[in-house]
Amino acid sequence: MSRTLLIVKPDATERNLIGHVISRLEKARYKIVEMRMVRLTEEQARKFYAVHEGKPFLDDLVKFMTSGPVVPMVLEKENAVLDLRTCIGATNPANADCGTIRYEIAVDIEKNSVHASDSDDNAKIEIESFFN
Ligand code: CMP
């Protein structure tokens, strides 16, 4: 079993899609082992996305991620990190495969409804940034 972090982003919480995302994840056999709802501060959002420092979309991304509540959760499953990336689809929903969460509900490349860790190492760091 391995663990990864998923965040339901403000565009999805605002449209009452938290339950939809959770239902998709449970049907895909993820076990939710931790979950909370939080409003990120600018500092927290910048720290979380520090890897994107210097990218042209960072300021808008921070504004978006602090615009409403987010729901981070720790998910457990075999091969959790890679499986979840497949399950949510490409960053840009225009390129997301049919049947993925982003294909179904994402608005655009920024308001793409969910975030998922991209490696086991980052999953550990990202989980620790929300949960003890
Ligand atoms: P996420 O998987 O959380 O990782 C970084 C986020 O930056 C991404 O989803 C999008 O919400 C946002 N973003 C906005 N523009 C871009 C872009 N051009 N390329 C990648 N990510 C972007």
Side-chain angles (χ1 to χ4, degrees):
M1 287 294 166
S2 60
R3 290 182 173 192
T4 190
L5 182 88
L6 178 129
I7 304 174
V8 183
K9 295 187 180 186
D11 69 283
T13 60
E14 210 247 325
R15 289 177 290 147
N16 295 340
L17 290 169
I18 301 168
H20 175 85
V21 173
I22 289 174
S23 171
R24 291 289 313 270
L25 296 170
E26 289 184 333
K27 281 178 187 147
R29 302 187 188 159
Y30 291 91
K31 189 165 174 57
I32 299 171
V33 294
E34 303 246 32
M35 181 166 71
R36 51 195 285 238
M37 181 181 255
V38 286
R39 181 86 184 242
L40 293 176
T41 64
E42 183 181 336
E43 193 187 349
Q44 287 170 323
R46 282 196 183 279
K47 195 169 168 204
F48 186 82
Y49 281 119
V51 63
H52 294 300
E53 197 61 62
K55 303 250 177 84
F57 58 82
L58 181 64
D59 285 352
D60 282 345
L61 174 63
V62 168
K63 234 180 255 170
F64 163 57
M65 289 299 287
T66 56
S67 68
V70 297
V71 180
M73 62 186 84
V74 179
L75 300 174
E76 193 174 75
K77 187 181 191 281
E78 263 172 43
N79 204 23
V81 170
L82 278 182
D83 273 14
L84 187 61
R85 300 282 291 183
T86 305
C87 188
I88 68 171
T91 304
N92 186 346
N95 302 326
D97 287 338
C98 182
T100 61
I101 294 175
R102 283 173 172 160
Y103 178 90
E104 282 188 340
I105 65 168
V107 178
D108 57 33
I109 193 168
E110 177 185 78
K111 296 176 180 58
N112 61 0
S113 303
V114 285
H115 166 87
S117 309
D118 65 0
S119 68
D120 285 322
D121 286 349
N122 282 339
K124 195 165 181 292
I125 293 166
E126 292 183 357
I127 288 168
E128 280 168 6
S129 74
F130 285 104
F131 302 97
N132 291 327

